[in-house]
Amino acid sequence: MVQNRDKLIISKSTTLKFHIKRLLKSQSILIDLLSIIKSFLVFKYKTIISLKVNYKNNGKIISIGPSHIGFCSNYMNLDINAAGVFRIYKSGTVVLNPFVRISRTCKVYVSGKLEIGQSTYINPNTLIISNHDVKIGANCAISWNVQIIDDDFHSINNNVSKDSISIGDKVWIGSDVKIIKGAKIGNGCVIAANSLVIGVVPPNSLVGGIPAKILKSDVVWS
């Protein structure tokens, strides 16, 4: 999923247009302007991190192209003053491919590895916890209140599972969906709202329910 940075060339003008386009839609332009200044002067990479996000990085973040974490509050955020969390622990690594957008009120905790593909966007109040390995593909649409968690935080009979989560390219995840350890979602899938994903979902499937089951195959969404 990680693109070859030697072959990937994103011009400064493209990066600037990406930031400006989002800024013009913001309902808190002053905060976002200050966020741009801080991100460029302090963080030294192309990802813009909002001042409204409680950001702490004791690990590693790899920003391959321009991305936004909590930058730009619009009507979908509901409360423009609400804050989010983006925490990378000492053992954690985050890889952001170009044009990733994570809404302001999301909460992200990484002590393992989290990788997010190009042009994926994540809507408000989503929770991501990666204690092991979470991969989210390119061009994914992740709705409100989604939970993506790759750990039980407890063990049974001392058998601690470290199953990763893999979400393919162009996956649409509805609101209030829960995706837990071991979930493998193929490319082009649609996950219906309020579903629980606990296993393998074949590519281009529409799934729903608790636990999620295949409702339709060979789906195409846009």
Side-chain angles (χ1 to χ4, degrees):
M1 184 188 303
V2 178
Q3 300 190 25
N4 187 325
R5 279 170 282 176
D6 296 329
K7 296 181 180 179
L8 181 65
I9 299 175
I10 299 175
S11 67
K12 290 184 178 180
S13 62
T14 299
T15 298
L16 185 60
K17 287 178 183 178
F18 176 65
H19 295 325
I20 291 175
K21 182 179 179 181
R22 301 303 305 167
L23 181 63
L24 293 176
K25 296 181 179 181
S26 175
Q27 293 187 6
S28 52
I29 290 179
L30 178 58
I31 291 173
D32 289 332
L33 278 173
L34 293 173
S35 299
I36 289 176
I37 294 170
K38 181 176 180 180
S39 292
F40 275 102
L41 294 181
V42 178
F43 297 141
K44 305 297 183 183
Y45 45 67
K46 296 178 181 178
T47 294
I48 305 299
I49 301 174
S50 173
L51 296 176
K52 283 288 186 177
V53 172
N54 182 1
Y55 174 77
K56 188 171 183 179
N57 180 12
N58 292 323
K60 184 177 183 181
I61 185 167
I62 301 171
S63 185
I64 298 175
S67 295
H68 294 155
I69 299 176
F71 174 80
C72 181
S73 174
N74 56 33
Y75 69 94
M76 291 191 300
N77 283 86
L78 303 181
D79 181 1
I80 64 173
N81 294 313
V85 176
F86 201 97
R87 176 73 186 272
I88 308 173
Y89 296 93
K90 187 175 181 179
S91 58
T93 299
V94 173
V95 179
L96 298 175
N97 283 280
F99 310 117
V100 167
R101 289 179 285 136
I102 301 175
S103 292
R104 180 171 296 172
T105 53
C106 292
K107 293 179 171 59
V108 179
Y109 303 90
V110 182
S111 60
K113 182 176 180 181
L114 170 65
E115 182 177 341
I116 304 177
Q118 182 169 331
S119 300
T120 283
Y121 63 89
I122 302 174
N123 277 308
N125 303 325
T126 286
L127 170 66
I128 299 176
I129 298 177
S130 175
N131 286 342
H132 308 295
D133 191 9
V134 173
K135 291 184 174 65
I136 301 173
N139 299 298
C140 292
I142 299 177
S143 192
W144 294 267
N145 304 316
V146 171
Q147 293 185 14
I148 302 172
I149 304 173
D150 72 349
D151 202 322
D152 288 333
F153 305 102
H154 299 282
S155 61
I156 299 175
N157 297 326
N158 296 319
N159 180 20
V160 180
S161 175
K162 295 185 178 181
D163 288 342
S164 62
I165 291 175
S166 175
I167 299 171
D169 297 334
K170 203 175 187 293
V171 173
W172 176 10
I173 300 174
S175 61
D176 296 293
V177 166
K178 294 179 175 60
I179 300 172
I180 63 175
K181 67 173 190 176
K184 314 293 181 187
I185 302 174
N187 296 338
C189 287
V190 178
I191 313 299
N194 297 294
S195 297
L196 171 64
V197 182
I198 61 175
V200 177
V201 180
N204 300 107
S205 297
L206 167 63
V207 301
I210 303 175
K213 297 181 179 179
I214 296 176
L215 303 177
K216 188 176 181 180
S217 299
D218 299 319
V219 299
V220 177
W221 67 275
S222 60

